[in-house]
Amino acid sequence: RSNEFRTTLQDKLREALGFNKPVIIQFSRFNFTGTPFSKRKIRSLIEMGYIKDWSDIRLPTISAIRRRGIQPEAIKQFVLHTKYSASEHEYSWDLLLTLNRRIIDPIAKRLFFVESPTKLTVDDAGETTAKLKYHPSVDLGFRSINTNGKFYISKRDFDSINVGDFIRLKDLYAIKVIEKTKDEIYSKLSPINKGNVIHWVPAENSVPIKVIKIGNLIENDKFNENSLIEIGGLAEENVKLLKQGDIVQFERFGFCILDDKSENKFIFISD
């Protein structure tokens, strides 16, 4: 119960009316930055059309935090870490998400995803099958990705690469960049295994997905119109094997939960 429900006055009313007094263990409420906790305020946001319903992923409701991949054990650890207090405190989501990440890290399979995909061609590469671990240190099995020398990489990596650079396509092979246009990089296989490691997806059979990142619902006491950001990209085809509610880590991007399989829509959990 939050502080406005302290029972001093209520107990006097109960005593006068002959009612039993309830036993209240603790008064406390956790508030999170940029997040309305009052049911009245949340209901008002729904009625004004700012959010759809009580399961909106920017809310602190049970249905909302379940959708965004926060585990029950993380909430328990958060409460034990912060302790109860009669005074209300406002917390950042960061601590809860950090505790949550420790729980999901050993069970989340790793997959490749590139945002804002840009073309990369390896001219002399034939067909190759990459056998990749689902997890670097926990035995979650392997998956295979077929390649033919045509790839997509993230725009961030594309912009950092120059002609003459040696690059390593993660868990596949090394390449040397021989030409770069505004839309595509051309390269050849390199016997020299050096250079920055980048992620990739094959040009064939990759799957378009979208990831929703969450910001503060309220900024400066006003509704934040930029509290949801949609990021588009391509994922390896093994993403098709996931079930709704599965949590994965898109390497070098972050942990995400599959929210809607029919639309290949993921919700970003944390880095």
Side-chain angles (χ1 to χ4, degrees), residues 185-202:
I185 287 174
Y186 299 90
S187 64
K188 289 189 176 182
L189 294 174
S190 171
I192 304 174
N193 188 27
K194 70 175 185 178
N196 293 331
V197 177
I198 64 172
H199 289 79
W200 50 271
V201 295

Side-chain angles (χ1 to χ4, degrees), residues 33-101:
T33 304
T35 308
F37 269 70
S38 164
K39 293 187 289 295
R40 173 181 55 81
K41 292 180 180 179
I42 295 174
R43 187 178 295 109
S44 177
L45 289 170
I46 295 173
E47 291 172 350
M48 290 187 294
Y50 287 121
I51 58 178
K52 184 179 179 181
D53 54 35
W54 294 86
S55 65
D56 187 286
I57 55 177
R58 294 162 290 186
L59 296 177
T61 59
I62 292 175
S63 57
I65 60 177
R66 180 186 293 122
R67 282 183 63 197
R68 63 187 291 184
I70 296 176
Q71 305 298 297
E73 180 62 24
I75 299 172
K76 177 181 177 181
Q77 290 184 16
F78 176 84
V79 173
L80 293 174
H81 181 85
T82 57
K83 306 293 191 296
Y84 276 121
S85 169
S87 59
E88 292 185 2
H89 296 281
E90 184 173 86
Y91 298 93
S92 166
W93 284 94
D94 292 344
L95 174 58
L96 177 59
L97 294 175
T98 296
L99 295 169
N100 190 66
R101 183 168 59 246

Side-chain angles (χ1 to χ4, degrees), residues 243-262:
K243 303 185 297 296
Q244 196 154 309
D246 281 352
I247 294 174
V248 298
Q249 185 192 50
F250 291 130
E251 297 196 45
R252 292 179 65 223
F253 182 78
F255 291 94
C256 298
I257 181 171
L258 180 55
D259 184 58
D260 188 331
K261 187 173 177 63
S262 65

Side-chain angles (χ1 to χ4, degrees), residues 213-249:
K213 278 195 168 184
I214 307 166
N216 288 338
L217 183 58
I218 303 297
E219 291 280 6
N220 299 319
D221 295 324
K222 295 181 179 179
F223 174 74
N224 177 17
E225 295 183 356
N226 299 313
S227 54
L228 290 180
I229 299 173
E230 181 176 312
I231 298 171
L234 295 171
E236 63 179 82
E237 65 177 336
N238 291 294
V239 77
K240 295 179 181 177
L241 303 177
L242 299 175
K243 303 185 297 296
Q244 196 154 309
D246 281 352
I247 294 174
V248 298
Q249 185 192 50

